[in-house]
């Protein structure tokens, strides 16, 4: 925005300089155009020494087809105004178009980052669901699966923290990111408690399933287009 304002100020300054030059040129042209008439006035005065009235002085009338001195200068100034107006209009259109392209590119980049976060979260949700399947806690690879879930959860949390710090102003995505981060921490805490000694129970399994559903819902909201 600052660059656009600076460029717009430059265009206005160029326009002002052009108009000033046009005004000065008009004054100079008018002054030059008035010189012939003044010279004619001076030359038309009678001489101090009286001449015998032998011959009558005849002044030649201006040609019918000759243009007035100010006509050409007025036409030139009209075309100069038109040219300056076209240049300024073209500059404004270029600035607006460039600003629109930048905003579109920034919005597309931000949207891509949200989709990437959703993809990470969706993969993590699938891994959590597999780990919570019947018999998952007692399987031989339960510890390895839990370690992988922890690693993925850490990575997603860092991504969400970064997005929360860089969310565009007045965007509703900030609350969605915060909800996703809170639901991730909640389901992770519930699964951790379930794997603690004596933590596995039907009640705790229900808590994990409920928080998994909330986590999935927050991920879908995160991937939905902002209204």
């Amino acid at each position: 925005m600052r660059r656009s304002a600076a460029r717009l100020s430059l265009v206005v300054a160029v326009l002002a300089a052009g108009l000033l030059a046009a005004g000065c040129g008009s004054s100079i042209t008018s002054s030059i155009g008035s010189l012939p008439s003044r010279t004619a006035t001076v030359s038309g005065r009678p001489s101090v020494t009286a001449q015998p009235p032998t011959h009558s002085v005849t002044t030649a009338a201006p040609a019918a087809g000759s243009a007035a001195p100010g006509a050409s200068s007025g036409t030139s100034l009209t075309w100069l105004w038109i040219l300056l107006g076209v240049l300024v209009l073209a500059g404004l259109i270029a600035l607006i178009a460039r600003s629109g392209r930048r905003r579109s590119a920034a919005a597309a980049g931000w949207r891509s980052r949200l989709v990437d976060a959703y993809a990470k979260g969706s993969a993590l949700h699938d891994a959590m669901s597999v780990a919570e399947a019947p018999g998952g806690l007692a399987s031989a690879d339960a510890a390895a699966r839990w370690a992988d879930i922890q690693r993925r959860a850490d990575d997603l949390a860092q991504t969400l923290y970064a997005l929360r710090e860089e969310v565009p102003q007045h965007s509703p995505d900030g609350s969605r990111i915060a909800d996703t981060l809170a639901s991730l921490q909640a389901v992770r805490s519930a699964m951790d408690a379930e794997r603690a000694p004596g933590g596995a129970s039907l009640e705790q399994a229900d808590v994990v399933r409920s928080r998994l559903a909330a986590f999935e819902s927050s991920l879908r909201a995160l991937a939905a287009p902002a209204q």
Side-chain angles (χ1 to χ4, degrees):
M1 294 300 292
R2 292 180 179 176
R3 292 182 179 177
S4 299
R7 290 173 180 170
L8 181 58
S9 300
L10 179 59
V11 172
V12 173
V14 171
L15 175 59
L19 294 179
L20 181 59
C24 294
S26 176
S27 300
I28 294 172
T29 305
S30 300
S31 299
I32 294 175
S34 64
L35 287 178
S37 62
R38 294 178 183 176
T39 305
T41 302
V42 174
S43 60
R45 294 179 181 176
S47 176
V48 176
T49 305
Q51 300 292 331
T54 56
H55 300 283
S56 60
V57 179
T58 304
T59 56
S66 61
S72 60
S73 62
T75 304
S76 300
L77 288 177
T78 300
W79 281 107
L80 179 60
W81 274 89
I82 294 175
L83 178 60
L84 288 175
V86 171
L87 290 177
V88 172
L89 181 60
L92 291 176
I93 293 175
L95 287 176
I96 294 173
R98 184 175 299 177
S99 178
R101 287 194 297 268
R102 288 180 178 177
R103 286 195 298 269
S104 299
W110 174 254
R111 188 69 198 154
S112 177
R113 294 179 65 185
L114 290 179
V115 172
D116 289 342
Y118 167 77
K120 289 182 179 180
S122 181
L124 174 60
H125 177 271
D126 292 342
M128 288 177 169
S129 299
V130 171
E132 288 299 317
L137 293 176
S139 62
D141 59 347
R145 286 185 177 181
W146 177 240
D148 180 64
I149 289 173
Q150 294 280 59
R151 179 186 59 79
R152 293 190 182 192
D154 288 339
D155 181 53
L156 178 59
Q158 291 178 1
T159 300
L160 293 174
Y161 279 126
L163 289 174
R164 190 177 64 177
E165 293 297 325
E166 301 173 15
V167 64
Q169 190 176 11
H170 306 303
S171 174
D173 293 330
S175 60
R176 299 178 183 181
I177 295 170
D179 290 343
T180 305
L181 186 58
S183 63
L184 170 62
Q185 294 171 344
V187 68
R188 186 176 182 179
S189 176
M191 293 182 69
D192 190 35
E194 188 180 32
R195 282 159 177 75
S201 64
L202 294 178
E203 292 79 5
Q204 188 62 29
D206 289 340
V207 172
V208 172
R209 282 192 294 269
S210 176
R211 293 186 179 180
L212 270 174
F215 179 48
E216 182 181 19
S217 178
S218 67
L219 287 172
R220 289 178 178 176
L222 183 65
Q227 301 296 328

